[in-house]
Structures are given as C-alpha cells and as structure tokens.
Amino acid sequence: MSYNFLPKKPLIFLSMALAMAVAHADQLDDIRKNKKIRVGIELSLAPYGMVNKALEPVGSDVETAKLLAKDLGVALEIVSVSGPTRIPYLQTNKADVMIATLSISPDRAKVIDFSIPYSAVQIVVAGPKNVEIKDFSDLKGKTIAITRGNVQEAELTKKAVGAQIQRFDDDATLVTAGVTGLSPIVSTATTLLQEIKTRNPSRDLETKFVVRNFDLGIGVRKGQPELLAWLNQWVKDNRTNGNLNEIFKKYHGVDLPVTEGQQ
C-alpha cells in the first residue's frame, strides 16, 4: 500500500496563494475595474428614495449614493429594490451595495455586513386620534399594518400579543392602505407616516408611541473586507465634513440624528 503526501512547503504556498486570490477578489477592485457601482435603493420611501415628476430618482439615499459614486470615481447605476428584496439582491449579486433605509440588526448582520451608520430612521405606531394606544399592550385585538421584512416586524410579532398583523409587500402599498383607511393603524417610519397624512389629512393620524430609533448602514455582501473598510472611512469622513448631514437636512428638514455609532 502506498500513500502520496504533498510536501509541507507546497501546502503552505498553496494556502498563501488561495488567501491572496480571495483578497484580490474583493468587490472594491471589481467596482473600480468596471468603473461603475450598482447601488440598491428603495424608491418608494420618501424622502429617502422616490421618483420626481420627471421620473428621475431623488431623495436622501439617492444623493448619498451619488456622492458615494463620485468620491469612488465611478458611474452610478441605481437598482430599484423593495423592503423584502434588499438582502436577496445583495446575496445574488444584483447590486454591489445597498443604500436603502437598511436598519442594522443582529439577524441581518448574520447574512450581510454593514458599514458604520450613515443615517437613521424612527419607527412609530400611528393611528386615529380617537383611538387610545399608549403601548404594545393596547394593540391587542386590533389590526396593525406593516411592510413585510422590515425590522419592526419581529418586534411587533413578539410584543404586540393578540394583535393581528397585516403585512404588505412594499412601502408603496402600505402607504396606499394607510391613505385609503384600509389599515387604520400602521407601524412605519415617520417619513412614510407624514406621506400618508399629507395625501389624506382626513385620516387624522397621530403618532401613538415610538417603536425604536434605528441606525441605517450601507449593506455589503459577506467577505468583502476592503470594500467595507473603504465604506466605513467614507461614512466617517462625510459625517465629519457635514456632507451627509447636508443631504439629510435637505430632504428631511432636520439635522441628521446622532446614531449609536457616534454616542
């Protein structure tokens, strides 16, 4: 019986070669080589992302993506996504990064990586003024609408015991349900709540309580250390020089909230 063993040195060299190949394959190199970055953006969540009368993408996330592409020295390709498709689009390489009101959460961090927070969003529960709701316990026996796949879904499922959760596939249909009264009570971002109130003031909706304030990160596929390091430095620089605050204030009317990463 004979056995074939590879010498130790070739094994070491093979391991080093594989490691170098993996490092070289970092997505940042590909983006620069292609001279284009594909950024996933949710265009149904004003004022983060929306389409103007000229059918052009606008919003704070859109301008953030434009600034990112400019500083990287590449062209920008916007990939339109919805709440439930954000992570799958990253995982299936339909987008290079995700700037789409993607809240940083432990569950999501298991399947994708996040940059340090570039922005923030406040999630609330809202309902008619004549309906008394002070906390999760008051939702028992009531129907509350959310967008499927958003971070508050798990929190409401756990804490709103006895409530009937009505799930919509994207923010646009959630807004429509809120505007028409199909869903009297909603849990969504304050920006979407404002859109519902603007489109139908007669709904007389008000914020009942804050579910949570969420930090937003730029989503990246796992195993991209160079790209992630570049994005982290870019966020840090543009929060320090005020560029990201200027973009946020332009569309939201207030300064960019202090995120957990800054506290």
Side-chain angles (χ1 to χ4, degrees):
M1 185 180 293
S2 62
Y3 299 89
N4 293 321
F5 293 98
L6 288 174
K8 291 183 178 180
K9 284 188 177 179
L11 277 176
I12 294 173
F13 293 149
L14 180 60
S15 297
M16 291 175 62
L18 288 172
M20 290 174 65
V22 171
H24 182 70
D26 191 280
Q27 200 174 0
L28 182 61
D29 290 335
D30 293 335
I31 291 169
R32 285 172 168 157
K33 187 184 300 182
N34 296 331
K35 299 182 179 180
K36 178 179 71 175
I37 185 167
R38 300 169 301 161
V39 180
I41 300 177
E42 195 170 359
L43 295 175
S44 61
L45 183 56
Y48 292 93
M50 50 196 167
V51 178
N52 64 16
K53 292 181 180 179
L55 301 181
E56 300 167 332
V58 293
S60 57
D61 276 353
V62 174
E63 286 211 20
T64 298
K66 288 180 178 179
L67 179 62
L68 173 66
K70 178 184 175 183
D71 290 347
L72 192 53
V74 298
L76 170 65
E77 178 183 327
I78 293 177
V79 180
S80 180
V81 298
S82 64
T85 64
R86 291 173 295 181
I87 291 177
Y89 268 45
L90 271 181
Q91 294 175 318
T92 56
N93 196 30
K94 292 180 180 178
D96 298 314
V97 300
M98 199 61 56
I99 303 179
T101 57
L102 196 56
S103 304
I104 301 170
S105 72
D107 285 341
R108 286 175 175 166
K110 294 176 183 176
V111 292
I112 64 170
D113 285 330
F114 287 97
S115 72
I116 60 175
Y118 75 94
S119 189
V121 64
Q122 186 176 78
I123 302 295
V124 301
V125 167
K129 289 184 178 180
N130 61 356
V131 178
E132 186 174 350
I133 300 173
K134 294 181 179 178
D135 54 32
F136 288 105
S137 64
D138 291 328
L139 294 173
K140 184 177 181 179
K142 297 180 176 66
T143 299
I144 181 167
I146 64 170
T147 301
R148 191 187 309 277
N150 280 357
V151 286
Q152 73 266 33
E153 182 176 9
E155 195 145 3
L156 283 167
T157 302
K158 180 180 178 181
K159 296 180 179 179
V161 179
Q164 182 178 345
I165 300 177
Q166 188 178 30
R167 293 170 173 85
F168 291 91
D169 287 333
D170 54 47
D171 290 316
T173 50
L174 174 72
V175 168
T176 299
V179 169
T180 60
L182 175 64
S183 300
I185 303 170
V186 298
S187 177
T188 189
T190 52
T191 48
L192 275 183
L193 174 60
Q194 186 57 45
E195 183 178 348
I196 293 171
K197 293 166 69 174
T198 299
R199 287 172 55 179
N200 188 357
S202 66
R203 283 297 324 278
D204 206 22
L205 295 178
E206 66 177 8
T207 296
K208 299 299 183 179
F209 64 91
V210 175
V211 176
R212 268 184 67 186
N213 290 313
F214 292 99
D215 287 343
L216 304 181
I218 301 174
V220 183
R221 284 196 297 280
K222 288 286 187 183
Q224 305 298 329
E226 291 181 13
L227 177 59
L228 188 60
W230 190 93
L231 289 171
N232 282 336
Q233 188 60 53
W234 180 84
V235 172
K236 186 181 295 185
D237 290 344
N238 283 280
R239 291 203 71 139
T240 300
N241 64 27
N243 285 340
L244 288 176
N245 184 70
E246 184 179 339
I247 290 172
F248 192 88
K249 193 168 186 177
K250 174 181 176 180
Y251 287 94
H252 299 260
V254 295
D255 287 324
L256 181 59
V258 174
T259 65
E260 290 184 9
Q262 292 181 302
Q263 292 175 353

Coordinates of all heavy atoms in Angstrom, one line a residue, residues 148-217:
R148 N -43.7 44.1 5.0 CA -43.1 42.8 5.2 C -41.5 42.9 5.1 O -41.0 43.6 4.2 CB -43.6 41.8 4.2 CG -43.2 40.3 4.5 CD -43.6 39.5 3.3 NE -45.0 39.6 2.9 CZ -46.0 39.0 3.5 NH1 -45.8 38.2 4.5 NH2 -47.2 39.3 3.1
G149 N -40.8 42.3 6.1 CA -39.4 42.3 6.0 C -38.7 43.4 6.7 O -37.4 43.4 6.8
N150 N -39.4 44.4 7.2 CA -38.8 45.5 7.9 C -38.5 45.1 9.3 O -39.1 44.1 9.9 CB -39.7 46.7 7.9 CG -39.7 47.5 6.6 OD1 -38.9 47.1 5.7 ND2 -40.4 48.5 6.5
V151 N -37.6 45.8 10.0 CA -37.0 45.4 11.3 C -38.1 45.4 12.4 O -38.0 44.6 13.3 CB -35.9 46.3 11.7 CG1 -34.6 46.0 10.9 CG2 -36.2 47.8 11.5
Q152 N -39.1 46.2 12.3 CA -40.1 46.2 13.3 C -41.0 45.0 13.3 O -41.8 44.8 14.2 CB -40.9 47.5 13.3 CG -41.9 47.6 12.1 CD -41.4 48.4 11.0 OE1 -40.2 48.3 10.7 NE2 -42.2 49.1 10.2
E153 N -41.0 44.3 12.2 CA -41.9 43.1 12.1 C -41.6 42.1 13.2 O -42.6 41.7 13.9 CB -41.7 42.4 10.7 CG -42.6 41.2 10.5 CD -42.4 40.6 9.2 OE1 -41.5 40.9 8.4 OE2 -43.3 39.7 8.8
A154 N -40.4 41.8 13.5 CA -40.1 40.8 14.6 C -40.4 41.4 15.9 O -41.0 40.7 16.8 CB -38.6 40.5 14.6
E155 N -40.2 42.7 16.1 CA -40.5 43.3 17.4 C -42.0 43.4 17.6 O -42.5 43.1 18.7 CB -40.0 44.8 17.4 CG -39.9 45.4 18.8 CD -38.7 46.3 19.0 OE1 -38.0 46.5 18.0 OE2 -38.5 46.8 20.1
L156 N -42.8 43.7 16.6 CA -44.3 43.7 16.8 C -44.8 42.3 17.0 O -45.7 42.1 17.8 CB -44.9 44.3 15.6 CG -44.9 45.9 15.5 CD1 -45.2 46.3 14.1 CD2 -45.8 46.5 16.5
T157 N -44.3 41.3 16.3 CA -44.7 39.9 16.4 C -44.5 39.5 17.8 O -45.3 38.7 18.4 CB -43.9 39.0 15.4 OG1 -44.2 39.5 14.1 CG2 -44.4 37.6 15.5
K158 N -43.4 39.9 18.4 CA -43.1 39.5 19.8 C -43.8 40.2 20.9 O -44.3 39.6 21.8 CB -41.6 39.6 20.0 CG -41.1 39.2 21.4 CD -39.6 39.4 21.5 CE -39.1 39.0 22.9 NZ -37.6 39.3 23.0
K159 N -44.0 41.5 20.7 CA -44.5 42.4 21.7 C -46.0 42.7 21.6 O -46.7 43.0 22.6 CB -43.7 43.7 21.8 CG -42.2 43.5 22.2 CD -41.5 44.8 22.3 CE -40.1 44.6 22.7 NZ -39.3 45.9 22.8
A160 N -46.5 42.7 20.4 CA -47.9 43.1 20.2 C -48.8 41.8 20.3 O -49.4 41.4 19.3 CB -48.1 43.8 18.9
V161 N -48.8 41.3 21.5 CA -49.5 40.0 21.7 C -51.0 40.2 21.5 O -51.6 41.1 22.1 CB -49.2 39.5 23.2 CG1 -50.0 38.2 23.4 CG2 -47.7 39.3 23.4
G162 N -51.6 39.3 20.7 CA -53.1 39.4 20.5 C -53.5 40.4 19.4 O -54.6 40.5 19.1
A163 N -52.5 41.0 18.7 CA -52.8 41.9 17.6 C -52.7 41.1 16.3 O -52.1 40.1 16.2 CB -51.8 43.1 17.6
Q164 N -53.5 41.6 15.4 CA -53.5 41.0 14.0 C -52.6 41.8 13.2 O -52.9 43.0 12.9 CB -54.9 40.9 13.4 CG -54.9 40.2 12.1 CD -56.3 40.1 11.5 OE1 -57.3 40.3 12.2 NE2 -56.4 39.8 10.2
I165 N -51.5 41.2 12.7 CA -50.5 42.0 11.9 C -50.8 41.8 10.4 O -50.8 40.7 9.9 CB -49.1 41.6 12.2 CG1 -48.8 41.8 13.7 CG2 -48.1 42.3 11.4 CD1 -47.4 41.3 14.2
Q166 N -51.0 42.9 9.8 CA -51.4 42.9 8.4 C -50.1 43.3 7.6 O -49.6 44.4 7.7 CB -52.5 44.0 8.1 CG -53.1 44.0 6.7 CD -54.2 45.0 6.6 OE1 -54.2 46.0 7.3 NE2 -55.2 44.7 5.8
R167 N -49.6 42.4 6.8 CA -48.3 42.6 6.1 C -48.5 43.0 4.7 O -49.2 42.3 3.9 CB -47.4 41.3 6.3 CG -47.0 41.0 7.7 CD -46.4 39.6 7.8 NE -45.8 39.4 9.1 CZ -46.5 39.0 10.2 NH1 -47.8 38.7 10.0 NH2 -45.9 38.8 11.3
F168 N -47.7 44.0 4.2 CA -47.8 44.4 2.8 C -46.4 44.2 2.3 O -45.4 44.3 3.0 CB -48.2 45.9 2.7 CG -49.6 46.2 3.1 CD1 -50.0 46.5 4.4 CD2 -50.6 46.0 2.1 CE1 -51.3 46.7 4.7 CE2 -51.9 46.2 2.4 CZ -52.3 46.6 3.7
D169 N -46.3 44.0 0.9 CA -45.0 43.6 0.3 C -44.1 44.7 0.1 O -42.9 44.5 0.0 CB -45.3 42.9 -1.0 CG -45.9 41.5 -0.8 OD1 -45.6 40.9 0.2 OD2 -46.6 41.0 -1.8
D170 N -44.6 46.0 0.1 CA -43.7 47.1 0.0 C -44.3 48.3 0.6 O -45.5 48.3 1.0 CB -43.3 47.4 -1.5 CG -44.5 47.5 -2.4 OD1 -45.5 48.3 -2.0 OD2 -44.6 46.9 -3.5
D171 N -43.5 49.4 0.7 CA -43.9 50.6 1.4 C -45.0 51.3 0.6 O -45.9 52.0 1.2 CB -42.7 51.5 1.6 CG -41.8 51.0 2.7 OD1 -42.2 50.5 3.7 OD2 -40.6 51.1 2.4
A172 N -45.0 51.2 -0.7 CA -46.0 51.9 -1.5 C -47.4 51.4 -1.2 O -48.3 52.2 -1.1 CB -45.6 51.8 -3.0
T173 N -47.5 50.1 -1.1 CA -48.9 49.5 -0.8 C -49.3 49.8 0.6 O -50.5 49.9 0.9 CB -48.9 48.0 -1.1 OG1 -47.8 47.4 -0.5 CG2 -48.8 47.7 -2.6
L174 N -48.3 49.8 1.5 CA -48.6 50.2 2.9 C -49.2 51.6 3.0 O -50.2 51.9 3.6 CB -47.4 50.1 3.8 CG -47.5 50.5 5.2 CD1 -48.4 49.6 6.0 CD2 -46.2 50.7 5.9
V175 N -48.5 52.5 2.3 CA -49.0 53.9 2.2 C -50.4 54.0 1.7 O -51.2 54.7 2.2 CB -48.0 54.8 1.4 CG1 -48.6 56.2 1.1 CG2 -46.7 55.0 2.2
T176 N -50.6 53.3 0.6 CA -52.0 53.3 0.0 C -53.0 52.8 1.0 O -54.1 53.4 1.1 CB -52.0 52.4 -1.3 OG1 -51.0 52.9 -2.2 CG2 -53.4 52.4 -1.9
A177 N -52.7 51.7 1.7 CA -53.6 51.2 2.7 C -53.9 52.2 3.8 O -55.0 52.3 4.3 CB -53.0 49.9 3.3
G178 N -52.8 52.9 4.2 CA -53.0 54.0 5.2 C -53.8 55.1 4.7 O -54.6 55.7 5.4
V179 N -53.6 55.5 3.5 CA -54.3 56.7 2.9 C -55.8 56.4 2.7 O -56.6 57.2 3.0 CB -53.7 57.1 1.5 CG1 -54.5 58.1 0.8 CG2 -52.3 57.6 1.7
T180 N -56.1 55.2 2.3 CA -57.5 54.8 2.0 C -58.2 54.4 3.2 O -59.5 54.4 3.2 CB -57.5 53.6 1.0 OG1 -56.9 52.5 1.6 CG2 -56.9 54.0 -0.3
G181 N -57.5 54.2 4.3 CA -58.2 53.7 5.6 C -58.3 52.2 5.7 O -58.9 51.7 6.6
L182 N -57.8 51.5 4.6 CA -57.9 50.0 4.7 C -57.2 49.5 6.0 O -57.6 48.6 6.6 CB -57.2 49.4 3.5 CG -57.0 47.9 3.4 CD1 -58.4 47.3 3.4 CD2 -56.2 47.5 2.2
S183 N -56.1 50.3 6.3 CA -55.4 49.9 7.6 C -55.4 51.2 8.5 O -54.7 52.1 8.3 CB -53.9 49.6 7.3 OG -53.8 48.5 6.4
P184 N -56.3 51.1 9.5 CA -56.5 52.3 10.4 C -55.2 52.5 11.3 O -54.9 53.7 11.6 CB -57.7 51.9 11.3 CG -58.3 50.8 10.6 CD -57.3 50.1 9.8
I185 N -54.5 51.5 11.6 CA -53.3 51.6 12.4 C -52.1 51.1 11.7 O -52.2 50.0 11.1 CB -53.5 50.8 13.8 CG1 -54.7 51.2 14.5 CG2 -52.3 50.9 14.6 CD1 -55.1 50.4 15.7
V186 N -51.0 51.8 11.7 CA -49.8 51.4 10.9 C -48.6 51.5 11.8 O -48.6 52.3 12.8 CB -49.6 52.3 9.7 CG1 -50.8 52.1 8.7 CG2 -49.4 53.7 10.0
S187 N -47.6 50.7 11.5 CA -46.3 50.9 12.1 C -45.3 51.1 11.0 O -45.1 50.2 10.1 CB -45.9 49.6 12.9 OG -44.6 49.8 13.4
T188 N -44.7 52.3 10.9 CA -43.8 52.6 9.8 C -42.9 53.7 10.2 O -42.9 54.2 11.4 CB -44.7 53.0 8.6 OG1 -43.8 53.1 7.5 CG2 -45.4 54.3 8.8
A189 N -42.1 54.2 9.3 CA -41.2 55.3 9.5 C -41.9 56.6 9.6 O -43.0 56.7 8.9 CB -40.1 55.3 8.4
T190 N -41.4 57.5 10.3 CA -42.1 58.8 10.5 C -42.2 59.5 9.1 O -43.2 60.2 8.9 CB -41.3 59.7 11.4 OG1 -39.9 59.8 11.0 CG2 -41.4 59.2 12.8
T191 N -41.3 59.3 8.2 CA -41.4 59.9 6.9 C -42.6 59.3 6.1 O -43.3 60.1 5.4 CB -40.1 59.6 6.1 OG1 -39.7 58.2 6.2 CG2 -38.9 60.4 6.7
L192 N -42.8 58.0 6.2 CA -44.0 57.4 5.5 C -45.3 57.9 6.1 O -46.3 58.1 5.4 CB -43.9 55.9 5.5 CG -43.0 55.3 4.4 CD1 -43.1 53.8 4.5 CD2 -43.5 55.7 3.0
L193 N -45.3 58.0 7.4 CA -46.5 58.5 8.1 C -46.8 59.9 7.7 O -48.0 60.2 7.4 CB -46.2 58.5 9.7 CG -47.3 59.1 10.5 CD1 -48.7 58.3 10.3 CD2 -46.9 59.1 12.0
Q194 N -45.8 60.7 7.5 CA -46.1 62.1 7.0 C -46.7 62.1 5.6 O -47.5 62.8 5.3 CB -44.8 62.9 7.0 CG -44.9 64.3 6.7 CD -45.9 65.0 7.6 OE1 -45.9 64.9 8.8 NE2 -46.8 65.8 7.0
E195 N -46.2 61.1 4.8 CA -46.7 61.0 3.4 C -48.2 60.6 3.5 O -49.0 61.1 2.7 CB -45.9 60.0 2.6 CG -46.4 59.9 1.2 CD -45.6 58.9 0.4 OE1 -44.5 58.4 0.8 OE2 -46.0 58.5 -0.8
I196 N -48.6 59.7 4.3 CA -50.0 59.2 4.5 C -50.8 60.4 4.9 O -51.9 60.7 4.3 CB -50.1 58.1 5.5 CG1 -49.4 56.8 5.0 CG2 -51.6 57.8 5.8 CD1 -49.3 55.7 6.0
K197 N -50.3 61.2 5.9 CA -51.1 62.3 6.4 C -51.2 63.4 5.4 O -52.3 64.1 5.3 CB -50.4 62.9 7.7 CG -50.5 61.9 8.8 CD -49.5 62.3 9.9 CE -49.9 63.5 10.7 NZ -49.1 63.8 11.8
T198 N -50.2 63.6 4.6 CA -50.2 64.6 3.5 C -51.2 64.3 2.4 O -52.0 65.1 1.9 CB -48.8 64.8 2.9 OG1 -47.9 65.3 3.9 CG2 -48.9 65.9 1.8
R199 N -51.2 63.0 2.1 CA -52.1 62.6 1.0 C -53.6 62.5 1.4 O -54.5 62.6 0.6 CB -51.6 61.2 0.4 CG -50.4 61.4 -0.4 CD -49.7 60.1 -0.8 NE -50.7 59.2 -1.5 CZ -50.3 58.0 -1.9 NH1 -49.1 57.5 -1.8 NH2 -51.2 57.2 -2.6
N200 N -53.8 62.3 2.7 CA -55.2 62.2 3.2 C -55.3 62.8 4.6 O -55.3 62.0 5.6 CB -55.7 60.8 3.1 CG -57.2 60.7 3.4 OD1 -57.9 61.7 3.7 ND2 -57.8 59.5 3.4
P201 N -55.3 64.1 4.7 CA -55.4 64.7 6.0 C -56.6 64.3 6.9 O -56.6 64.3 8.1 CB -55.5 66.2 5.7 CG -54.9 66.4 4.4 CD -55.3 65.1 3.6
S202 N -57.7 63.9 6.2 CA -58.9 63.5 6.9 C -58.7 62.2 7.7 O -59.5 61.9 8.6 CB -60.0 63.3 5.9 OG -59.8 62.2 5.1
R203 N -57.6 61.5 7.5 CA -57.4 60.3 8.3 C -57.1 60.6 9.7 O -57.3 59.8 10.6 CB -56.2 59.5 7.7 CG -56.5 58.7 6.4 CD -57.5 57.5 6.6 NE -57.4 56.9 7.9 CZ -56.5 55.9 8.3 NH1 -55.7 55.5 7.4 NH2 -56.5 55.4 9.5
D204 N -56.6 61.9 9.9 CA -56.3 62.4 11.3 C -55.5 61.4 12.1 O -55.8 61.1 13.3 CB -57.7 62.6 12.0 CG -57.6 63.6 13.1 OD1 -56.6 64.5 13.0 OD2 -58.4 63.6 14.0
L205 N -54.4 61.0 11.5 CA -53.5 60.0 12.2 C -52.5 60.8 13.1 O -52.1 61.9 12.8 CB -52.7 59.2 11.2 CG -53.5 58.2 10.3 CD1 -52.5 57.5 9.3 CD2 -54.2 57.2 11.1
E206 N -52.1 60.2 14.2 CA -51.1 60.7 15.0 C -50.1 59.6 15.5 O -50.5 58.4 15.6 CB -51.7 61.4 16.2 CG -52.4 60.5 17.2 CD -53.0 61.2 18.4 OE1 -52.9 62.4 18.4 OE2 -53.5 60.5 19.3
T207 N -48.9 60.0 15.9 CA -48.0 59.0 16.5 C -48.5 58.6 17.9 O -48.7 59.5 18.7 CB -46.6 59.6 16.5 OG1 -46.1 59.9 15.2 CG2 -45.6 58.6 17.2
K208 N -48.6 57.3 18.1 CA -49.0 56.8 19.4 C -47.8 56.6 20.3 O -47.8 56.9 21.5 CB -49.9 55.6 19.2 CG -51.1 55.8 18.4 CD -52.1 56.8 19.1 CE -53.4 56.9 18.3 NZ -54.3 57.9 18.9
F209 N -46.8 55.9 19.8 CA -45.6 55.7 20.5 C -44.5 55.3 19.6 O -44.7 54.8 18.4 CB -45.7 54.6 21.6 CG -46.1 53.2 21.2 CD1 -45.0 52.3 20.9 CD2 -47.4 52.8 21.0 CE1 -45.3 51.0 20.5 CE2 -47.7 51.5 20.6 CZ -46.6 50.6 20.3
V210 N -43.2 55.5 20.0 CA -42.1 55.1 19.2 C -41.7 53.7 19.4 O -41.5 53.3 20.6 CB -40.9 56.1 19.5 CG1 -39.6 55.6 18.8 CG2 -41.2 57.5 19.2
V211 N -41.6 52.9 18.3 CA -41.1 51.5 18.5 C -39.7 51.5 18.7 O -39.2 50.9 19.7 CB -41.5 50.8 17.2 CG1 -40.9 49.3 17.3 CG2 -43.0 50.7 16.9
R212 N -38.9 52.2 17.9 CA -37.4 52.3 18.1 C -36.9 53.3 17.1 O -37.4 53.6 16.0 CB -36.8 50.9 17.8 CG -36.6 50.0 19.0 CD -35.9 48.8 18.7 NE -34.5 49.0 18.3 CZ -33.7 48.0 17.9 NH1 -34.1 46.8 17.7 NH2 -32.4 48.3 17.6
N213 N -35.7 53.8 17.5 CA -34.9 54.5 16.5 C -33.8 53.6 16.0 O -33.2 52.9 16.7 CB -34.2 55.7 17.2 CG -35.1 56.8 17.6 OD1 -36.0 57.2 16.8 ND2 -35.0 57.3 18.8
F214 N -33.7 53.5 14.6 CA -32.8 52.5 14.0 C -31.7 53.2 13.3 O -31.9 54.2 12.5 CB -33.6 51.7 13.0 CG -34.6 50.7 13.7 CD1 -35.9 51.1 13.8 CD2 -34.2 49.5 14.3 CE1 -36.8 50.2 14.4 CE2 -35.1 48.7 14.9 CZ -36.4 49.0 14.9
D215 N -30.5 52.8 13.5 CA -29.3 53.2 12.7 C -29.4 52.5 11.3 O -29.7 51.4 11.2 CB -28.0 52.8 13.3 CG -27.7 53.7 14.6 OD1 -28.3 54.7 14.7 OD2 -26.8 53.3 15.3
L216 N -29.1 53.3 10.3 CA -29.1 52.8 8.9 C -27.6 52.6 8.4 O -26.8 53.5 8.6 CB -29.8 53.7 7.9 CG -31.2 54.1 8.3 CD1 -31.8 55.0 7.2 CD2 -32.1 52.8 8.4
G217 N -27.3 51.4 7.9 CA -26.0 51.1 7.4 C -26.0 50.8 5.9 O -27.1 50.5 5.3

